[in-house]
Amino acid sequence: MNFQSKFFKMGLLSVVIVLTSFSVGYAQDSQHSFKVVNKTDSRITKLLVAEPGKKTWRFFDVGRGIAPGASMKLVWNSSTDDESCVQWVKAVYMDKSQSEPVKFDFCEEDLELEFTE
């Protein structure tokens, strides 16, 4: 393989890597994500959501929870794309108590949910 051919292939590979990383970043940005901030003294163990007018609460996986003073970025599941952007949200704490439900628009950019109670 001559020098020009090797140089061309390396350049082509670089372009492919850049384009691939751009498309992956774009796909991630198209998802609805939001930040949850725990400003309470108790660990958040669950985050519950429900569409307005529905009585069924679903939950986001927050792993081992969100510690007091910590935050976590969550991504809305694409299976809910046919649902309303507006949802009721409440936190469940380590002692099983729950925050009051609050209505949020998950399609809002840079959405940050703060739990203070």
Side-chain angles (χ1 to χ4, degrees):
M1 180 183 299
N2 67 27
F3 178 73
Q4 287 178 329
S5 176
K6 190 175 183 178
F7 182 74
F8 175 75
K9 286 182 180 179
M10 287 176 56
L12 185 59
L13 180 61
S14 297
V15 169
V16 169
I17 290 171
V18 168
L19 290 176
T20 302
S21 64
F22 173 76
S23 63
V24 168
Y26 178 76
Q28 290 173 342
D29 289 344
S30 68
Q31 296 176 333
H32 298 295
S33 63
F34 58 99
K35 182 178 179 181
V36 177
V37 181
N38 184 358
K39 292 190 172 185
T40 70
D41 294 331
S42 183
R43 177 178 293 277
I44 294 175
T45 58
K46 289 183 185 176
L47 193 66
L48 303 174
V49 295
E51 281 189 278
K54 300 220 175 154
K55 296 182 183 198
T56 304
W57 289 90
R58 293 165 290 134
F59 68 93
F60 278 92
D61 182 3
V62 294
R64 298 182 73 193
I66 305 169
S71 64
M72 178 182 284
K73 181 180 178 183
L74 298 172
V75 176
W76 198 259
N77 189 316
S78 61
S79 68
T80 62
D81 286 350
D82 61 338
E83 293 184 4
S84 169
C85 289
V86 176
Q87 301 273 336
W88 287 97
V89 182
K90 62 182 175 179
V92 178
Y93 301 102
M94 188 83 128
D95 66 0
K96 308 291 186 219
S97 66
Q98 298 181 4
S99 68
E100 289 295 317
V102 180
K103 200 183 288 187
F104 285 99
D105 182 346
F106 284 98
C107 294
E108 182 182 314
E109 276 191 50
D110 301 320
L111 177 63
E112 189 170 293
L113 308 180
E114 290 185 2
F115 290 93
T116 57
E117 58 175 73

